[in-house]
Amino acid sequence: LAIARDVQKQRPTESTGFLLEGDIYASRKQWVEAVAAYRAGLKLAKSTELAVKLEATLTAGGGSRSEADAFAATWLKQNPDDTRFRFFVAQTASVAKNYVAAAKHYETLVANDPENPVFLNNLAWVAGKRNDPRALEYAEKANKLAPNQAAFMDTLGTLLVEKGDASRGVQLLRKAVELDPAAAAVRLNLAKGLVKVGDKDAARKELDALGKLGDKFADQDEVARVRSSL
């Protein structure tokens, strides 16, 4: 902190010292102090990095949800083309299961960059959560633009299983697991797909592999729930 404050004195017109101070407080989970430092830095420089860190810190505990939302709305109104910030806000909303807000941001990102497979894939996943019939269209396009990507195949495969083409969905999920065997969440989606197509033995094998991960895979409750359905 002493060094960060020295930097602030040495570079009074730059935001670097406040960025450092905010990072130090954030590493200590002193969210209120981190928010104050990032806000001070933003007064000196309209930096996307500072904006992202302020939004993350407000969300983590340096403010209320309404404060975080208000800051994000103001920043995007002033900086509508800040793709990095909008992507971060979309991800944050998705994690919080605020799929309406996440979809709105991803739709804007896709409108501005329609050939970006990451934006399309994430929009497909959120759209699936909202039962938006366009979800498969987005996922198909993402996989066409960036084939053989486990994460994209997982989204498309899961949507296919949910929307009625479980056989093709399982094929994609099997390939996704082959491409990324360590992706436990993808393996869980494969197990669910296998249950859907009636291959309980194969599903049990995948669930056993997940069960062996123990605390290394946080979604063991879901593993147990799927196992109970066999």
Side-chain angles (χ1 to χ4, degrees):
L1 280 171
I3 293 170
R5 285 167 185 157
D6 281 343
V7 173
Q8 292 167 17
K9 292 174 184 177
Q10 293 163 6
R11 304 180 186 180
T13 62
E14 298 179 19
S15 63
T16 307
F18 292 102
L19 176 63
L20 292 170
E21 182 180 350
D23 288 352
I24 292 162
Y25 280 128
S27 72
R28 295 175 169 182
K29 298 186 178 181
Q30 293 177 253
W31 307 121
V32 174
E33 292 84 353
V35 163
Y38 292 140
R39 285 194 188 279
L42 278 171
K43 288 180 181 179
L44 297 172
K46 297 302 180 185
S47 156
T48 296
E49 183 177 12
L50 277 166
V52 166
K53 290 189 174 187
L54 176 55
E55 175 71 10
T57 307
L58 285 167
T59 302
S64 65
R65 180 69 262 166
S66 60
E67 283 180 280
D69 290 343
F71 171 71
T74 299
W75 182 266
L76 287 171
K77 184 177 181 180
Q78 296 171 350
N79 306 276
D81 297 325
D82 191 339
T83 297
R84 180 185 168 195
F85 185 83
R86 190 181 295 279
F87 183 62
F88 175 78
V89 171
Q91 288 178 302
T92 301
S94 183
V95 169
K97 298 184 179 181
N98 185 352
Y99 300 127
V100 173
K104 179 182 175 182
H105 289 301
Y106 281 128
E107 285 169 359
T108 299
L109 290 166
V110 168
N112 293 335
D113 188 0
E115 303 298 302
N116 187 307
V118 174
F119 297 162
L120 284 162
N121 175 74
N122 289 16
L123 176 55
W125 189 84
V126 170
K129 292 295 183 182
R130 300 182 64 212
N131 294 316
D132 184 333
R134 296 172 294 176
L136 275 173
E137 175 189 337
Y138 299 139
E140 293 278 15
K141 186 173 180 180
N143 278 268
K144 184 177 179 180
L145 289 167
N148 298 318
Q149 300 296 314
F152 299 167
M153 295 169 73
D154 174 44
T155 300
L156 178 55
T158 299
L159 285 170
L160 286 166
V161 169
E162 292 173 352
K163 305 303 179 185
D165 193 352
S167 179
R168 183 182 170 217
V170 166
Q171 288 179 352
L172 281 165
L173 290 166
R174 282 190 187 280
K175 190 170 182 182
V177 169
E178 289 174 7
L179 289 169
D180 190 359
V186 180
R187 194 176 291 276
L188 178 56
N189 287 334
L190 171 58
K192 292 177 181 179
L194 289 165
V195 172
K196 198 79 175 273
V197 298
D199 194 344
K200 294 185 177 182
D201 288 340
R204 194 173 288 109
K205 180 180 177 182
E206 300 299 337
L207 294 170
D208 287 345
L210 291 169
K212 290 176 182 177
L213 293 176
D215 294 341
K216 292 179 181 178
F217 181 48
D219 214 358
Q220 291 294 347
D221 287 347
E222 182 66 5
V223 172
R225 188 195 68 76
V226 176
R227 189 189 299 277
S228 69
S229 70
L230 297 176

